[in-house]
């Protein structure tokens, strides 16, 4: 029955303070002061204990994690009773995880209560309560407990009545009585399983069985009608791919509050309804569906499971776990595309069926998979037909609680001669165990038959011994052969680890102490032999037996212990021999910990993978870690921690190459123990494999086909994404997203004659791969007409240009419907259509183009569209410009007497027109006439001479091929107001000698072919430097194709009409007796 706890008042009397709210529900916080200093905090729980319902005799643990500054002090208490008994209550703290725990080993019903956890520091206190319920095993209670928990006689009867009809294993049955388990299994079984169940339980009268079964079904349905509306979709218990076992059913209850009980072999078992609680048994309800799950399977989990609603049995299912192992394990298989792959394994015991798992999904017989088993039921095979890239991954064979797995690697077939058709399927098979499975299975059959014969013989011998009572020697110094066989059998079982801890016995033969007696004489006189232990004769109290086989005698010790380590002696007449027996434990793992460790560890690239193996108390052992058979050592990205009760392995910053088998090995004097796990490091996949195959490229559809990526990143590819870009445009558009089994795509939204580029991505749970990009693919095939004659510029104006052209000489066999005209501005990739695409330009063959006044760019025009599905292009380069805008403000400055520096801000059009330059005009008060003092200046400063006593006015113009801009006027340079005052100084030696320097460097130029070009720079130095011009490091001063001048430090180079031969690097080098200076630029002539 349920031992429920009582919840008392959760607030201590007399407690004062400020109540605070915690982020964790159910936590009560009391703050002791009004304001907490900065950086400090009151206690709080970030993980509170979870209510627990547990079976009597088990280990109960409550865990909590608290925070606060200063670090809080954590204490535990219970409502009804104290926790001072260290045998019942053990409080612990783990500094690594920060967990505070209270453990209650061997829990008893009187410990069911409400428990409290307190966290206290100087600023406050936090408290949380948790309930502990204890289930008594078998509901066997004494009268005192019955009175304390069920005072109502009717309730007491109902509680005592709630027992399974299946008797526990500890209760014996009468001879000839049919096990009630037989009927419980039949009531929930399918009709096709009746014959098998009857054979297992030895029932041969089928007619009687069916008659009684129908009667029991009618009675059961009447009982169920009191609590249940309907029962459907029964699914018997079975092992899942994740290593758990579960059964499920749809249950429609009359009262949703009805209690549900789970029994195993007639005894109730505790379970949790919270998936987050790490209990072994869990009952999850989703609507009307109930799913019962068993985690961390061990051999003891086998048995009959029953689900009852109140006191009525609803469903029964038997869970069988065959104790088998894999003699030959699965091996990695590498197969080509469209080739079959086969996995093979050999079991230690015959099984008619095992579970095959592929990529965490159960596999069944069908078109894709062929599952076969040999006649002896030892060899099991899985055939994966017609392998494709989506089939690669991990495949596993599961037999009971044992499993092993291997990779299937599908390699791409690079055979290209397919002509757009699907590759033919191969008739070959890849994989296999690589050994003679039939031979191994035959040897195992012989071994199993021998074991069966030995068991039968042992049973017959035991029966004969029971009949021949008194045959045992009263002295107890020797036993019958049958006893000896059983003793040796128990020793072998202990050594093999079938029951109890494994033991190992080591003996060392001593020397004969006789007088040279021959071995034949010794064997012939063994009838008079005596055995002793530690110098004392063995007696019947010792767990040892002596058996004789001809002239050989054997001493067998049952269930060896550490105390059995001793020297032994055997005496025959005057001879004796001795040997040393040492007994000890083989290293071992806890079965539950071993099962948890065997589960795969999956991490992402760059994360840390952790493996932990608890170690039970045992003899000193040597602990080693391995990856793929290579021993790991502490250092670098690998950290190995070896503690008294556990060992941990951490691999930091994991890469995909770190994936593999992880093994921990324990070794001592008596043997070794190994445990295996697997590390899988996942990442985003690699790009799909190319090249992309174009299946169809008609005027209305483009169809593509590709191959899966060779690198899936360690996890299955789930999707393929396709993006498209039209040639000549910059925007990419997502056009397709589909599952990984689709390796082709049909694009129906295409325009005839357009070129498209596609990008194909692979996606898995970790992200999207880099793209596989195609070349330009045209939709349909175009018939081109001849090229029109180059257009002629009829006239140009400030805001427009008139063009005309003549039709092509050849029309391509079709009528020319019109012409399409497009333009593109300089330094852009975007083409702009000048006339609508559905309204081509027809005769007369002319067109007027508006030009923006601010453009000053080279514009490319595309003309001629021959028909709606084809076009040809030609290119015209025009310089569209206007009169430049005036320069900015003009500033005058005098640094040297008699010289004025004129500086102005550049024109806004200077960056748009590389042919723009400046002109400076001057007027003084003496002549009163404007005159040009400088022209073709590509800089923004000029120095001129002035005379004292005169007024000067200056104007700066911007100038290009279209003419002059409006002038920018300077302020008046007065007679005396801006004069530099004359200061009489003592004579100073002044030198004007200086090395050359570049004042204004060369600029980059890119004129069209046939245009003129000016290239200038400013140089100074004294003595006047010699200036040389170079093209690609070849001096061009003497080349008549270039007009080179050097006036007052302004070095100019003029080309009348540029061509491709003028392209290259231009360099100016100025040299005098004090040094050298140089500058360079590039000239690119456009076609």
């Amino acid at each position: 029955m349920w031992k429920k706890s009582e919840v008392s008042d959760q607030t201590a009397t007399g407690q004062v303070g400020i109540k605070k709210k915690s982020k964790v529900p159910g936590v009560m916080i009391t703050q002791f002061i009004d304001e907490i200093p900065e950086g400090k905090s009151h206690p709080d729980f970030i993980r509170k204990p979870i209510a627990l319902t547990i079976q009597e005799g088990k280990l109960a643990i409550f865990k909590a994690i608290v925070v606060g500054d200063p670090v809080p002090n954590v204490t535990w208490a219970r409502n009804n009773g104290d926790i001072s008994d260290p045998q019942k209550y053990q409080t612990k703290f783990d500094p690594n995880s920060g967990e505070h725990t209270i453990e209650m080993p061997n829990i008893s019903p009187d410990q069911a209560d409400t428990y409290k956890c307190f966290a206290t520091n100087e600023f406050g206190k936090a408290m949380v309560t948790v309930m502990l319920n204890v289930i008594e095993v078998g509901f066997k209670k004494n009268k005192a407990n019955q009175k304390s928990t069920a005072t109502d006689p009717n309730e007491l009867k109902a509680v005592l009545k709630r027992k399974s009809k299946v008797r526990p294993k500890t209760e014996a049955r009468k001879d000839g009585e049919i096990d009630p388990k037989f009927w419980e299994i039949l009531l929930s079984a399918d009709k096709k399983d009746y014959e098998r169940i009857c054979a297992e339980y030895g029932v041969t009268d089928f007619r009687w069985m069916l008659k009684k079964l129908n009667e029991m079904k009618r009675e059961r349905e009447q009982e169920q009608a009191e609590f249940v509306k309907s029962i459907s979709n029964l699914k018997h218990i079975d092992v899942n791919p994740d290593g758990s076992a579960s059964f499920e059913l749809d249950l429609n209850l009359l009262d949703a509050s009805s209690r549900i009980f789970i029994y195993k072999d007639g005894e109730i078992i505790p379970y949790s309804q919270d998936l987050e609680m790490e209990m072994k048994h869990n009952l999850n309800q989703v609507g009307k569906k109930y799913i019962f799950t068993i985690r961390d399977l061990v051999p003891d989990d086998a048995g009959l499971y029953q689900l009852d609603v109140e006191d009525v049995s609803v469903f029964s299912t038997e869970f069988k776990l065959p104790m088998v192992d894999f003699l030959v394990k699965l091996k990695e298989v590498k197969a080509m595309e469209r080739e079959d792959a086969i996995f093979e394994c050999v079991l230690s015991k015959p099984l008619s069926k095992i579970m095959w798992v592929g990529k965490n999904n159960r596999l069944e017989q069908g078109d894709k998979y062929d599952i076969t088993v040999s006649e002896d039921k030892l060899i099991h095979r899985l055939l994966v037909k017609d392998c494709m890239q989506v089939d690669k991954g991990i495949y596993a064979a599961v037999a009971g609680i044992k499993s092993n797995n291997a990779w299937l690697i599908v390699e791409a077939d690079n055979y290209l001669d397919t002509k757009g058709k699907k590759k033919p399927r191969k008739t070959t098979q890849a994989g296999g165990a690589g050994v003679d499975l039939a031979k191994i299975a035959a040897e195992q059959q012989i071994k199993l038959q021998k074991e069966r014969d030995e068991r039968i013989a042992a049973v017959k011998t035991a029966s004969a011994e029971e009949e021949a009572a008194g045959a045992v020697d009263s002295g107890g110094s020797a036993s019958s052969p049958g006893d000896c066989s059983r003793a040796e059998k128990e020793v072998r079982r202990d050594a093999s680890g079938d029951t109890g801890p494994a033991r190992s016995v080591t003996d060392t033969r001593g020397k004969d102490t006789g007088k040279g007696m021959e071995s034949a004489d010794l064997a012939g006189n063994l009838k008079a032999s005596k055995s002793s232990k530690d110098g004392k004769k063995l007696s019947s109290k010792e767990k040892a037996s002596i058996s004789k086989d001809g002239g050989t005698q054997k001493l067998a010790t049952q269930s060896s212990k550490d105390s059995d380590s001793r020297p032994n002696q055997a005496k025959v007449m005057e001879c004796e021999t001795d040997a040393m027996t040492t007994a000890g434990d083989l290293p071992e793992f806890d079965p539950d910990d071993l099962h948890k460790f065997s589960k795969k560890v999956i991490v992402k690239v760059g994360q840390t993978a952790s493996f932990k193996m608890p170690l039970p108390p045992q003899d000193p052992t040597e602990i080693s870690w391995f990856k793929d058979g290579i021993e790991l050592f502490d250092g670098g990205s690998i950290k190995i921690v070896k503690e008294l009760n556990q060992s941990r392995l951490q691999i930091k910053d994991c890469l995909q190459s770190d994936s593999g088998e992880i093994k921990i090995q324990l070794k001592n004097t008596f043997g070794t123990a190994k445990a295996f796990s697997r590390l899988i490091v996942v990442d985003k996949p690699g790009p799909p494999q190319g090249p992309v195959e174009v299946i169809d490229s008609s005027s209305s559809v483009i169809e593509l086909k590709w191959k899966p990526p060779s690198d899936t990143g360690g996890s299955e590819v789930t999707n393929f994404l396709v993006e498209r870009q039209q040639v000549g445009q910059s925007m990419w558009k997502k056009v397709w997203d589909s599952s990984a089994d689709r390796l082709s795509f049909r694009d129906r939204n295409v325009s005839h004659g357009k070129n498209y580029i596609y990008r194909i991505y692979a996606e898995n749970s970790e992200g999207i791969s880099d793209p596989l990009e195609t070349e330009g693919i045209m939709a349909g095939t175009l018939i081109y007409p001849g090229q029109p004659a180059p257009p002629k510029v009829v006239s140009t104006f400030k805001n427009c240009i008139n063009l005309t052209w003549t039709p092509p000489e050849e029309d391509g066999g079709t009528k020319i419907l019109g012409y399409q005209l497009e333009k593109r501005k300089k330094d852009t990739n975007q083409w702009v259509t000048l006339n609508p695409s559905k309204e081509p330009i027809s005769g007369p063959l002319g067109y007027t183009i508006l030009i923006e006044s601010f453009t000053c760019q080279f514009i490319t025009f595309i003309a001629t569209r021959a028909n709606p599905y084809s076009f040809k292009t030609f290119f015209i380069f025009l310089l569209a410009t206007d009169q430049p805008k005036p320069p900015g403000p003009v500033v005058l400055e005098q640094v040297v007497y008699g010289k004025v520096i004129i500086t102005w801000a550049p024109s806004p059009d200077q960056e748009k027109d590389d042919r723009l330059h400046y002109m400076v005009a001057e007027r003084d008060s003496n002549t009163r006439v404007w005159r040009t003092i400088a022209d073709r200046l590509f800089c923004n400063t000029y120095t001129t001479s002035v005379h004292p006593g005169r007024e000067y006015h200056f104007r700066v113009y911007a100038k290009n091929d279209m003419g002059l801009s409006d002038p920018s006027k300077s302020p008046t340079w007065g007679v005396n107001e801006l004069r530099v005052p004359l200061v009489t100084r003592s004579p100073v030696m002044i030198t004007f000698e200086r090395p050359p320097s570049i004042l204004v460097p060369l600029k980059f130029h890119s004129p069209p072919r046939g245009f003129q070009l000016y290239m200038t720079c400013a140089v100074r130095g004294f003595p006047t430097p010699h200036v040389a011009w170079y093209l690609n490091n070849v001096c061009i001063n003497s080349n008549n194709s270039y007009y080179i001048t050097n006036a007052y430090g302004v070095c100019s180079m003029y080309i009348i009409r540029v061509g491709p031969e003028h392209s290259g690097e231009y360099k100016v080098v100025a040299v005098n007796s004090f040094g050298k200076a140089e500058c360079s630029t590039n000239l690119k002539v456009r076609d």
Side-chain angles (χ1 to χ4, degrees):
M1 68 178 57
W2 294 87
K3 177 73 175 178
K4 291 188 175 289
S5 61
E6 299 178 359
V7 181
S8 62
D9 184 11
Q10 298 177 348
T11 305
T13 58
Q15 187 182 66
V16 294
I18 304 171
K19 299 297 182 181
K20 291 290 184 178
K21 185 176 181 181
S22 172
K23 294 182 180 180
V24 179
V27 177
M28 293 170 285
I29 300 176
T30 303
Q31 185 173 308
F32 295 158
I33 60 177
D34 293 334
E35 294 185 2
I36 297 178
E38 185 178 358
K40 304 296 182 179
S41 63
H42 57 68
D44 196 1
F45 286 82
I46 61 175
R47 176 180 174 183
K48 67 176 184 179
I50 300 176
L52 187 62
T53 300
I54 196 169
Q55 184 176 338
E56 176 186 359
K58 301 292 184 179
L59 172 64
I61 302 177
F62 289 132
K63 300 180 181 179
I65 300 178
V66 299
V67 293
D69 191 4
V71 177
N73 179 36
V74 177
T75 58
W76 298 82
R78 57 177 291 188
N79 275 358
N80 303 312
D82 62 85
I83 59 172
S84 59
D85 187 354
Q87 300 295 329
K88 291 185 176 181
Y89 303 96
Q90 302 171 6
T91 58
K92 298 180 181 180
F93 172 67
D94 186 353
N96 294 326
S97 62
E99 287 184 342
H100 295 267
T101 60
I102 180 170
E103 298 182 0
M104 291 166 273
N106 195 18
I107 195 76
S108 59
D110 59 351
Q111 291 177 275
D113 201 350
T114 298
Y115 288 79
K116 298 179 180 180
C117 183
F118 299 92
T120 309
N121 65 8
E122 59 185 276
F123 300 113
K125 178 173 68 174
M127 182 191 73
V128 66
T129 61
V130 60
M131 290 191 295
L132 172 65
N133 298 320
V134 180
I135 304 175
E136 294 189 38
V137 178
F139 299 107
K140 298 177 181 178
K141 290 183 57 73
N142 54 34
K143 294 182 179 179
N145 287 337
Q146 292 175 5
K147 291 180 181 179
S148 64
T149 57
T151 57
D152 187 357
N154 295 328
E155 182 181 354
L156 178 61
K157 290 180 181 179
V159 171
L160 295 177
K161 183 181 179 182
R162 192 181 304 117
K163 296 182 64 176
S164 172
K165 297 180 180 179
V166 178
R167 297 179 183 177
K169 293 181 178 179
T170 55
E171 297 185 16
R173 297 194 308 272
K174 298 179 181 180
D175 293 339
E177 182 183 1
I178 297 178
D179 191 345
K181 183 191 297 186
F182 168 74
W183 298 110
E184 289 296 330
I185 295 175
L186 279 180
L187 285 170
S188 300
D190 296 331
K191 292 183 179 180
K192 61 183 179 63
D193 297 327
Y194 285 175
E195 185 176 354
R196 175 184 57 81
I197 297 172
C198 289
E200 290 181 4
Y201 288 87
V203 176
T204 57
D205 192 345
F206 295 104
R207 183 173 299 177
W208 167 80
M209 180 273 295
L210 292 173
K211 181 178 179 181
K212 185 171 182 180
L213 179 63
N214 291 332
E215 294 176 357
M216 296 180 67
K217 281 186 176 182
R218 286 193 294 269
E219 295 176 0
R220 181 65 57 85
E221 290 172 357
Q222 293 175 358
E223 295 174 353
Q224 294 174 350
E226 185 178 353
F227 302 100
V228 180
K229 289 183 181 179
S230 62
I231 305 171
S232 59
N233 298 328
L234 305 178
K235 183 179 178 182
H236 289 268
I237 192 167
D238 198 3
V239 178
N240 300 320
D242 61 357
S244 64
S246 64
F247 67 82
E248 60 185 56
L249 72 160
D250 289 352
L251 193 61
N252 190 0
L253 300 177
L254 291 172
D255 185 0
S257 62
S258 298
R259 293 173 296 178
I260 297 177
F261 302 92
I262 304 293
Y263 297 87
K264 177 181 175 290
D265 293 330
E267 298 183 359
I268 195 169
I269 57 175
Y271 63 84
S272 168
Q273 291 181 317
D274 187 358
L275 291 175
E276 296 182 357
M277 290 185 62
E278 296 183 357
M279 287 191 66
K280 185 175 182 64
H281 303 100
N282 176 268
L283 182 64
N284 184 30
Q285 180 183 358
V286 181
K288 296 180 182 179
K289 184 178 290 296
Y290 290 80
I291 304 173
F292 178 75
T293 305
I294 308 171
R295 300 175 178 173
D296 303 326
L297 296 178
V298 294
D300 290 341
D301 292 327
L304 178 66
Y305 288 83
Q306 297 171 263
L307 185 146
D308 287 13
V309 177
E310 296 295 347
D311 57 350
V312 176
S313 180
V314 173
F315 179 62
S316 301
T317 180
E318 188 175 19
F319 187 31
K320 296 183 179 181
L321 284 176
M323 299 308 297
V324 298
D325 204 348
F326 289 87
L327 299 179
V328 177
K329 297 184 178 181
L330 304 181
K331 291 189 176 181
E332 182 181 285
V333 178
K334 292 184 179 180
M336 299 294 293
E337 282 186 330
R338 307 231 62 193
E339 189 178 25
D340 294 346
I342 188 168
F343 292 94
E344 297 178 323
C345 63
V346 179
L347 304 181
S348 61
K349 293 183 180 180
L351 277 183
S352 59
K353 184 180 181 181
I354 65 174
M355 181 173 66
W356 290 93
V357 178
K359 296 183 288 188
N360 295 326
N361 295 318
R362 186 192 297 263
L363 305 180
E364 300 292 346
Q365 177 75 28
D367 296 336
K368 184 64 179 177
Y369 304 103
D370 190 7
I371 300 174
T372 59
V373 61
S374 62
E375 293 184 1
D376 55 18
K377 300 181 181 180
L378 293 176
I379 305 175
H380 293 256
R381 294 183 175 89
L382 169 66
L383 181 66
V384 183
K385 304 176 185 177
D386 195 9
C387 291
M388 304 299 289
Q389 290 292 333
V390 294
D391 296 324
K392 63 182 177 182
I394 298 177
Y395 289 78
V398 181
I401 60 174
K402 297 287 185 177
S403 66
N404 76 96
N405 54 57
W407 276 86
L408 170 60
I409 300 175
V410 181
E411 298 179 346
D413 188 356
N414 296 324
Y415 180 69
L416 300 178
D417 190 17
T418 58
K419 298 181 180 179
K421 298 181 181 179
K422 189 175 181 181
K423 298 174 183 176
R425 180 177 175 184
K426 296 179 175 61
T427 58
T428 56
Q429 288 185 356
V435 295
D436 190 351
L437 301 184
K439 181 180 179 181
I440 297 175
E443 293 175 353
Q444 184 66 13
Q445 272 188 306
I446 296 173
K447 181 179 178 181
L448 294 174
Q449 185 61 41
K450 184 178 179 181
E451 291 177 356
R452 285 193 291 268
D453 294 341
E454 289 178 354
R455 288 196 297 268
I456 293 173
V459 172
K460 291 181 179 178
T461 303
S463 300
E465 290 177 356
E466 292 177 358
E467 294 176 358
V472 181
D473 185 4
S474 59
S477 60
S479 62
S480 66
D483 291 335
C484 179
S485 300
R486 286 196 299 272
E488 292 179 350
K489 180 179 178 182
E490 291 298 323
V491 172
R492 287 195 298 272
R493 288 185 59 190
D494 290 341
S496 64
D498 288 343
T499 57
R503 312 293 294 176
S504 176
V505 180
T506 304
D507 65 331
T508 305
R509 293 185 177 274
K511 296 182 178 180
D512 290 339
T513 57
K515 301 178 180 179
M517 180 177 289
E518 296 294 335
S519 60
D521 297 334
L522 181 64
N525 291 280
L526 279 176
K527 296 180 180 179
S529 66
K530 299 179 180 180
S531 299
S532 64
K533 167 190 173 184
D534 294 330
K536 299 179 181 180
K537 184 178 179 180
L538 291 176
S539 64
S540 59
K541 296 181 180 180
E542 304 289 343
K543 294 182 179 180
S545 60
I546 301 174
S547 61
K548 185 180 72 172
D549 184 7
T552 303
Q553 287 199 6
K554 296 180 180 179
L555 172 65
T557 304
Q558 302 183 30
S559 302
S560 300
K561 300 179 180 178
D562 291 336
S563 59
D564 292 328
S565 299
R566 63 179 184 265
N568 296 296
Q569 279 188 333
K571 293 183 179 180
V572 181
M573 298 180 62
E574 297 180 356
C575 297
E576 64 180 26
T577 181
D578 56 14
M580 183 65 188
T581 301
T582 303
D585 288 332
L586 287 169
E588 62 177 0
F589 299 102
D590 182 83
D592 291 343
D593 296 332
L594 185 63
H595 179 69
K596 292 179 181 179
F597 182 81
S598 65
K599 295 181 178 180
K600 297 187 291 291
V601 175
I602 303 176
V603 298
K604 298 180 180 180
V605 169
Q607 292 184 340
T608 299
S610 300
F611 297 86
K612 183 177 73 173
M613 174 59 80
L615 303 176
Q618 51 190 324
D619 294 335
T621 58
E622 177 184 344
I623 304 172
S624 303
W625 289 88
F626 298 84
K627 177 186 172 293
D628 293 332
I630 301 175
E631 186 172 0
L632 303 177
F633 299 96
D634 196 2
S637 62
I638 297 176
K639 183 178 181 181
I640 299 176
V641 179
K642 300 177 182 178
E643 300 175 351
L644 182 63
N645 60 347
Q646 68 176 358
S647 180
R648 292 183 286 114
L649 167 66
Q650 285 186 340
I651 303 178
K652 301 179 181 178
D653 301 326
C654 289
L655 303 174
Q656 277 198 278
S657 58
D658 293 327
S659 299
E661 182 185 70
I662 301 297
K663 178 178 73 175
I664 181 174
Q665 175 178 288
L666 306 182
K667 184 178 181 181
N668 64 7
T669 307
F670 304 101
T672 60
K674 302 176 183 178
F676 298 89
S677 184
R678 178 165 288 277
L679 171 62
I680 299 177
V681 183
V682 296
D683 193 7
K684 67 178 184 180
Q689 295 186 78
V692 175
E693 183 180 353
V694 181
I695 305 299
D696 188 9
S697 59
S698 62
S699 60
S700 59
V701 66
I702 294 178
E703 183 176 2
L704 308 176
K705 185 178 181 182
W706 59 91
K707 301 174 185 176
S710 57
D711 178 16
T712 62
S715 62
E716 184 179 0
V717 175
T718 58
N719 293 78
F720 285 107
L721 311 177
V722 180
E723 291 182 345
R724 186 187 73 183
Q725 180 195 54
Q726 184 176 331
V727 175
Q729 298 182 357
S730 59
M731 184 179 66
W732 287 90
K733 179 181 179 181
K734 181 179 177 181
V735 294
W736 194 64
D737 184 352
S738 184
S739 58
D741 57 348
R742 295 283 302 276
L743 297 175
S744 63
F745 163 63
R746 292 176 64 87
D747 188 1
R748 300 181 182 275
N749 187 21
V750 296
S751 299
H752 191 190
K754 296 292 185 180
N755 281 280
Y756 300 94
I757 300 175
Y758 294 88
R759 287 177 179 173
I760 305 171
Y761 302 83
E763 181 181 12
N764 64 4
S765 57
E766 304 305 317
I768 300 176
S769 70
D770 295 331
L772 168 64
E773 187 168 321
T774 68
E775 299 291 338
I777 303 173
M778 179 180 291
T781 304
L782 298 182
I783 303 175
Y784 294 108
Q787 184 174 353
K792 297 179 181 179
V793 178
V794 178
S795 58
T796 59
F797 301 94
K798 179 178 180 179
N799 59 351
C800 69
I801 297 173
N802 290 328
L803 297 177
T804 184
W805 60 89
T806 58
E809 296 180 359
E810 298 180 359
D811 57 7
T814 60
K815 180 182 179 181
I816 296 178
L817 302 179
Y819 300 86
Q820 181 71 46
L821 193 61
E822 298 178 359
K823 73 174 182 178
R824 186 186 70 181
K825 291 185 178 181
K826 178 185 177 182
D827 299 329
T828 65
N829 294 324
Q830 184 176 6
W831 292 95
V832 178
T833 302
L834 298 179
N835 59 292
S837 59
K838 295 183 179 181
E839 299 177 6
I841 301 172
S842 58
L845 301 181
Y847 197 76
T848 300
I849 305 171
L850 297 179
I851 304 297
E852 296 87 345
S853 60
F854 64 85
T855 303
C856 292
Q857 300 277 340
F858 286 95
I859 302 179
T860 301
F861 298 95
I862 300 181
T864 79
R865 179 173 294 274
N867 56 46
Y869 306 105
S870 61
F871 64 90
K872 268 296 193 177
T873 63
F874 62 83
F875 302 91
I876 304 173
F877 295 96
L878 297 175
L879 179 61
T881 185
D882 199 358
Q883 289 182 349
K885 295 179 180 178
V890 180
V891 178
L892 303 179
E893 181 183 7
Q894 184 178 22
V895 177
V896 179
Y897 182 78
K899 299 288 185 180
V900 173
I901 301 175
I902 307 170
T903 307
W904 60 90
S907 168
D909 294 334
Q910 178 175 324
E911 296 297 330
K912 300 178 181 179
D913 190 354
D914 58 0
R915 299 172 59 80
L916 184 141
H917 54 277
Y918 298 96
M919 185 182 73
V920 180
E922 176 192 82
R923 190 187 70 149
D924 58 31
S925 58
N926 187 22
T927 62
R928 299 182 181 273
V929 176
W930 287 97
R931 66 185 182 90
T932 300
I933 60 174
D935 195 2
R936 302 198 65 80
L937 296 177
F938 289 88
C939 54
N940 302 108
T941 182
Y942 181 75
T943 303
T944 185
S945 300
V946 295
H947 297 281
R950 298 182 184 180
E951 287 185 351
Y952 288 89
H953 298 270
F954 300 97
R955 291 179 178 176
V956 180
Y957 299 86
K959 187 177 181 181
N960 65 5
D961 295 336
M962 298 300 293
L964 293 173
S965 69
D966 295 333
S968 294
K969 299 179 181 181
S970 70
T972 301
W973 183 263
V975 177
N976 295 314
E977 60 183 13
L978 295 178
R979 290 184 59 185
V980 176
L982 296 177
V983 179
T984 304
R985 298 180 181 178
S986 58
V988 179
M989 292 297 295
I990 300 176
T991 177
F992 294 99
E993 296 177 340
R994 64 176 62 187
S997 62
I998 306 297
L999 299 179
V1000 179
L1002 298 173
K1003 294 183 179 180
F1004 172 80
H1005 296 270
S1006 59
R1009 181 176 181 178
F1011 278 64
Q1012 59 183 354
L1013 170 71
Y1014 287 95
M1015 194 177 292
T1016 62
C1017 67
V1019 180
R1020 74 175 180 179
F1022 190 86
T1024 302
H1026 174 265
V1027 177
W1029 287 78
Y1030 293 85
L1031 170 59
N1032 297 330
N1033 296 322
V1034 177
C1035 184
I1036 59 175
N1037 282 23
S1038 59
N1039 194 330
N1040 296 329
S1041 300
Y1042 304 89
Y1043 180 70
I1044 299 174
T1045 60
N1046 185 4
Y1048 304 104
V1050 178
C1051 304
S1052 302
M1053 188 268 293
Y1054 173 68
I1055 303 175
I1056 299 177
R1057 183 172 297 173
V1058 296
E1061 67 274 12
H1062 296 117
S1063 296
E1065 181 186 30
Y1066 285 81
K1067 183 166 63 176
V1068 173
V1069 180
V1071 181
N1072 67 6
S1073 58
F1074 290 93
K1076 180 176 73 171
E1078 64 181 40
C1079 65
S1080 63
T1081 187
N1082 287 305
L1083 171 63
K1084 183 179 179 182
V1085 179
R1086 293 179 294 176
D1087 292 331

